[in-house]
Coordinates of all heavy atoms in Angstrom, one line a residue:
Chain Y
V75 N 0.4 -29.9 56.1 CA 1.0 -30.3 57.3 C 0.7 -31.9 57.5 O 1.7 -32.6 57.9 CB 0.5 -29.5 58.6 CG1 1.0 -30.1 59.8 CG2 0.9 -28.0 58.4
A76 N -0.5 -32.3 57.2 CA -0.7 -33.7 57.3 C 0.2 -34.5 56.3 O 0.7 -35.6 56.7 CB -2.2 -34.0 56.9
G77 N 0.4 -34.0 55.2 CA 1.4 -34.6 54.2 C 2.8 -34.8 54.9 O 3.3 -35.8 54.7
G78 N 3.2 -33.7 55.7 CA 4.5 -33.9 56.3 C 4.4 -35.0 57.4 O 5.3 -35.8 57.6
I79 N 3.3 -35.0 58.1 CA 3.2 -36.1 59.2 C 3.2 -37.5 58.6 O 3.8 -38.4 59.1 CB 1.9 -35.8 60.0 CG1 2.2 -34.4 60.8 CG2 1.7 -36.9 61.0 CD1 0.9 -34.0 61.5
F80 N 2.4 -37.6 57.5 CA 2.4 -38.9 56.8 C 3.8 -39.3 56.3 O 4.2 -40.4 56.3 CB 1.5 -38.9 55.6 CG 0.0 -38.8 56.0 CD1 -0.9 -38.0 55.2 CD2 -0.5 -39.3 57.1 CE1 -2.2 -37.9 55.6 CE2 -1.8 -39.2 57.5 CZ -2.6 -38.5 56.7
G81 N 4.5 -38.2 55.9 CA 5.9 -38.4 55.4 C 6.8 -39.0 56.5 O 7.6 -39.9 56.4
I82 N 6.6 -38.4 57.8 CA 7.4 -38.9 58.9 C 7.0 -40.4 59.2 O 7.9 -41.2 59.3 CB 7.1 -38.1 60.2 CG1 7.5 -36.7 60.0 CG2 7.7 -38.7 61.4 CD1 7.1 -35.8 61.1
R83 N 5.7 -40.7 59.1 CA 5.3 -42.1 59.3 C 5.9 -43.0 58.3 O 6.3 -44.2 58.5 CB 3.8 -42.2 59.3 CG 3.1 -41.3 60.2 CD 2.3 -41.8 61.3 NE 2.1 -43.2 61.5 CZ 1.0 -43.7 62.1 NH1 0.1 -42.8 62.5 NH2 0.9 -45.0 62.3
H84 N 6.0 -42.5 57.0 CA 6.5 -43.3 56.0 C 8.0 -43.6 56.2 O 8.5 -44.8 56.2 CB 6.5 -42.7 54.6 CG 7.2 -43.4 53.6 ND1 8.2 -42.7 52.8 CD2 7.2 -44.6 53.1 CE1 8.8 -43.5 52.0 NE2 8.2 -44.7 52.2
L85 N 8.8 -42.6 56.6 CA 10.2 -42.8 56.8 C 10.5 -43.7 58.1 O 11.4 -44.4 58.1 CB 10.9 -41.4 57.0 CG 11.0 -40.6 55.8 CD1 11.8 -39.3 56.1 CD2 11.6 -41.3 54.6
R86 N 9.6 -43.6 59.1 CA 9.7 -44.4 60.3 C 9.5 -45.8 60.0 O 10.1 -46.7 60.5 CB 8.7 -43.9 61.3 CG 9.2 -42.7 62.1 CD 9.3 -43.0 63.5 NE 10.0 -41.9 64.2 CZ 9.5 -41.4 65.3 NH1 8.3 -41.7 65.7 NH2 10.2 -40.5 65.9
S87 N 8.3 -46.1 59.2 CA 7.9 -47.5 59.0 C 8.4 -48.1 57.8 O 8.4 -49.4 57.6 CB 6.3 -47.5 59.1 OG 5.9 -46.8 58.0
G88 N 8.8 -47.3 56.8 CA 9.2 -47.9 55.5 C 8.0 -48.4 54.7 O 8.2 -49.0 53.6
D89 N 6.8 -48.2 55.2 CA 5.5 -48.7 54.6 C 5.1 -47.6 53.4 O 4.8 -46.5 53.8 CB 4.5 -48.8 55.6 CG 3.1 -49.3 55.0 OD1 3.1 -49.4 53.8 OD2 2.2 -49.4 55.7
S90 N 5.2 -48.1 52.2 CA 4.9 -47.1 51.1 C 3.5 -46.6 51.0 O 3.2 -45.6 50.3 CB 5.4 -47.6 49.8 OG 4.5 -48.7 49.4
S91 N 2.6 -47.2 51.7 CA 1.2 -46.6 51.8 C 1.1 -45.3 52.4 O 0.3 -44.4 52.0 CB 0.2 -47.6 52.3 OG 0.3 -47.6 53.7
W92 N 2.0 -45.1 53.3 CA 2.1 -43.8 53.9 C 2.6 -42.6 53.0 O 2.0 -41.6 53.0 CB 3.0 -43.8 55.2 CG 2.3 -44.5 56.4 CD1 2.6 -45.6 56.9 CD2 1.2 -44.0 57.1 NE1 1.8 -46.0 57.9 CE2 0.9 -45.0 58.1 CE3 0.4 -42.9 57.1 CZ2 -0.1 -44.9 59.0 CZ3 -0.6 -42.8 58.0 CH2 -0.9 -43.8 59.0
D93 N 3.4 -43.1 52.2 CA 3.9 -42.1 51.1 C 2.7 -41.8 50.2 O 2.5 -40.6 49.8 CB 5.0 -42.7 50.3 CG 5.3 -41.8 49.1 OD1 5.7 -40.7 49.3 OD2 5.2 -42.4 48.0
L94 N 2.0 -42.8 49.8 CA 0.8 -42.6 49.0 C -0.2 -41.6 49.7 O -0.7 -40.7 49.0 CB 0.1 -43.9 48.7 CG -0.9 -43.9 47.5 CD1 -0.2 -43.6 46.3 CD2 -1.6 -45.3 47.5
R95 N -0.4 -41.8 51.0 CA -1.3 -40.9 51.7 C -0.8 -39.5 51.7 O -1.5 -38.5 51.4 CB -1.4 -41.3 53.2 CG -2.3 -42.6 53.4 CD -2.4 -42.9 54.8 NE -3.2 -44.0 55.1 CZ -2.8 -45.2 55.2 NH1 -1.4 -45.4 55.1 NH2 -3.6 -46.2 55.5
S96 N 0.6 -39.3 51.9 CA 1.2 -38.0 51.9 C 1.1 -37.4 50.5 O 0.7 -36.1 50.4 CB 2.6 -38.2 52.3 OG 3.4 -37.1 51.9
Y97 N 1.3 -38.1 49.5 CA 1.2 -37.6 48.1 C -0.2 -37.1 47.7 O -0.3 -36.0 47.2 CB 1.7 -38.8 47.1 CG 1.4 -38.6 45.7 CD1 1.7 -37.4 45.0 CD2 0.8 -39.6 44.9 CE1 1.4 -37.3 43.7 CE2 0.5 -39.5 43.6 CZ 0.8 -38.3 43.0 OH 0.5 -38.2 41.7
V98 N -1.2 -37.9 48.1 CA -2.5 -37.6 47.8 C -3.0 -36.3 48.6 O -3.6 -35.4 48.0 CB -3.5 -38.7 47.9 CG1 -5.0 -38.2 47.7 CG2 -3.2 -39.8 47.0
A99 N -2.6 -36.2 49.8 CA -2.9 -35.1 50.7 C -2.3 -33.8 50.0 O -3.0 -32.8 49.9 CB -2.4 -35.2 52.1
I100 N -1.1 -33.8 49.6 CA -0.4 -32.7 49.1 C -1.0 -32.3 47.8 O -1.3 -31.1 47.4 CB 1.1 -32.9 48.9 CG1 1.7 -32.9 50.4 CG2 1.8 -31.8 48.1 CD1 3.2 -33.3 50.4
H101 N -1.3 -33.3 47.0 CA -1.9 -33.1 45.6 C -3.3 -32.4 45.8 O -3.5 -31.3 45.1 CB -2.2 -34.5 45.0 CG -2.7 -34.4 43.6 ND1 -2.7 -35.5 42.8 CD2 -3.1 -33.4 42.9 CE1 -3.1 -35.1 41.6 NE2 -3.4 -33.8 41.7
L102 N -4.1 -32.8 46.7 CA -5.4 -32.1 46.9 C -5.2 -30.7 47.5 O -5.9 -29.8 47.1 CB -6.3 -33.0 47.9 CG -7.0 -34.2 47.3 CD1 -7.7 -35.0 48.3 CD2 -8.0 -33.8 46.2
S103 N -4.3 -30.6 48.4 CA -4.0 -29.3 49.0 C -3.6 -28.3 48.0 O -4.0 -27.1 48.1 CB -3.0 -29.4 50.1 OG -3.5 -30.1 51.1
I104 N -2.9 -28.8 47.0 CA -2.4 -27.8 45.9 C -3.6 -27.3 45.1 O -3.7 -26.1 44.8 CB -1.3 -28.4 45.0 CG1 -0.1 -28.6 45.7 CG2 -1.1 -27.6 43.8 CD1 1.1 -29.3 45.0
I105 N -4.5 -28.3 44.8 CA -5.7 -27.9 44.1 C -6.6 -26.9 45.0 O -7.0 -25.9 44.4 CB -6.6 -29.2 43.7 CG1 -5.7 -30.1 42.8 CG2 -7.9 -28.7 43.1 CD1 -6.4 -31.4 42.6
L106 N -6.7 -27.2 46.2 CA -7.4 -26.3 47.1 C -6.7 -24.9 47.1 O -7.3 -23.9 47.2 CB -7.6 -26.9 48.5 CG -8.6 -27.9 48.7 CD1 -8.7 -28.2 50.2 CD2 -10.0 -27.5 48.2
G107 N -5.4 -25.0 47.2 CA -4.6 -23.8 47.3 C -4.8 -22.8 46.1 O -4.9 -21.6 46.3
L108 N -4.9 -23.4 44.9 CA -5.2 -22.6 43.8 C -6.6 -21.9 43.9 O -6.7 -20.7 43.7 CB -5.3 -23.5 42.5 CG -5.2 -22.8 41.2 CD1 -3.8 -22.1 41.1 CD2 -5.3 -23.8 40.0
G109 N -7.6 -22.6 44.5 CA -8.9 -22.1 44.8 C -8.7 -21.0 45.8 O -9.4 -20.0 45.6
V110 N -7.9 -21.1 46.9 CA -7.7 -20.1 47.9 C -7.2 -18.9 47.2 O -7.7 -17.8 47.5 CB -6.7 -20.6 48.9 CG1 -6.4 -19.5 49.9 CG2 -7.3 -21.7 49.7
L111 N -6.1 -19.0 46.3 CA -5.6 -17.8 45.7 C -6.6 -17.1 44.8 O -6.7 -15.9 44.9 CB -4.3 -18.1 44.9 CG -3.1 -18.6 45.8 CD1 -2.0 -19.1 44.9 CD2 -2.6 -17.5 46.7
V112 N -7.4 -17.8 44.1 CA -8.4 -17.2 43.2 C -9.5 -16.5 44.0 O -9.8 -15.3 43.8 CB -9.0 -18.3 42.2 CG1 -10.1 -17.6 41.4 CG2 -7.9 -18.8 41.3

Side-chain angles (χ1 to χ4, degrees):
Chain Y
V75 173
I79 294 170
F80 294 144
I82 295 177
R83 308 241 357 207
H84 169 240
L85 292 185
R86 280 239 167 128
S87 65
D89 176 0
S90 68
S91 76
W92 286 107
D93 168 62
L94 195 62
R95 287 185 177 92
S96 162
Y97 163 49
V98 175
I100 290 175
H101 188 168
L102 282 173
S103 292
I104 289 176
I105 298 172
L106 283 186
L108 197 62
V110 172
L111 291 174
V112 171

